[in-house]
Every structure is written in structure tokens, then in C-alpha cells.
Amino acid sequence: IAKQCFPMFNPHERAFIRKVFEKIVEESGGDFNGGAARMDLVNLKTQLGEPYKTLSLVEAENCLDELLDEKWLMIKGDANRRSSMSQEYSIGPRAFLELSHLLKDFGLDDLPQVIFHRV
């Protein structure tokens, strides 16, 4: 994940973000409407590998919340259940616009041609 896209995150958090996007694309089976459960994404904090340190639970949750706030990710379904571990997250409109090359590298071939996003 490019430092230019995520300057507010440290290198360990950027490695976690990369894992998050990989997981969502993997879970979606190449469909841009797919998603992954918050619990599965938070658990990626232990899979960063060397030279990155494992993030704490709070750091991982804060990172996901920041990605939601900045529209890199979006919640599927009831947005009022934001902190629920069963809540499903999908790729947000900003990621499709600014990270399309990375999403294609992860295996998301069918990118949307038009994005409608309600605030």
C-alpha cells in the first residue's frame, strides 16, 4: 500500500491495510460487491509477518474505523451496527478510484464502471 495514499498510518498499519484489502478481494471471489466480516479483518493483525509487528486489537479496530471514515471501506447492510464483529465490510468508493491497480493485482478483475455512493 502506497505511503502517499495512507500518510496517517505507520508502516505496520499499512501492512495491515494491505492484508485487509487482500482478504476482502479473496472473500469476494473477484466480485466487487463481496465483503469480509469485521472479525476476520481484525484477526489479520497477527498475520503481518516480518519485519512488521503485530498490531493490538485496539490498533486494528482503530485502523478499520479510520478506513471507514475516509471511505476506503464501507459497511454492507445496517451501518448502525458499525462495531459489531459480524458486520461485513466491502471495498469503498475511494479505494475503487485510487487503488484500482492494486485491487486488480489482488484478483479483482470486474471493477465497477460507475460508482453511486450515498452519504
Side-chain angles (χ1 to χ4, degrees):
I1 297 288
K3 186 176 182 179
Q4 300 88 329
C5 291
F6 301 102
M8 69 291 265
F9 295 107
N10 66 46
H12 310 289
E13 291 168 330
R14 284 195 295 274
F16 172 71
I17 291 167
R18 181 180 182 89
K19 289 282 189 187
V20 165
F21 281 110
E22 283 182 74
K23 178 71 170 182
I24 292 173
V25 171
E26 176 187 308
E27 291 287 317
S28 71
D31 179 15
F32 67 83
N33 287 318
R38 181 179 176 96
M39 181 173 57
D40 293 338
L41 298 178
V42 168
N43 287 336
L44 294 172
K45 67 186 178 62
T46 62
Q47 300 176 16
L48 300 182
E50 293 294 325
Y52 304 106
K53 70 175 183 80
T54 299
L55 298 179
S56 71
L57 178 64
V58 172
E59 288 173 320
E61 288 184 332
N62 288 343
C63 193
L64 287 176
D65 290 340
E66 184 70 25
L67 292 173
L68 282 171
D69 291 342
E70 297 292 325
K71 307 295 188 237
W72 294 103
L73 297 177
M74 58 188 233
I75 296 174
K76 293 182 73 170
D78 184 8
N80 293 327
R81 296 180 48 213
R82 182 174 183 156
S83 62
S84 170
M85 283 299 189
S86 63
Q87 184 66 56
E88 192 163 307
Y89 288 29
S90 62
I91 297 169
R94 187 171 179 186
F96 284 121
L97 295 172
E98 296 184 40
L99 300 176
S100 60
H101 62 286
L102 185 67
L103 297 173
K104 286 182 181 181
D105 288 348
F106 291 157
L108 189 65
D109 298 321
D110 186 26
L111 293 174
Q113 298 300 309
V114 178
I115 297 174
F116 294 103
H117 182 70
R118 288 176 274 163
V119 181

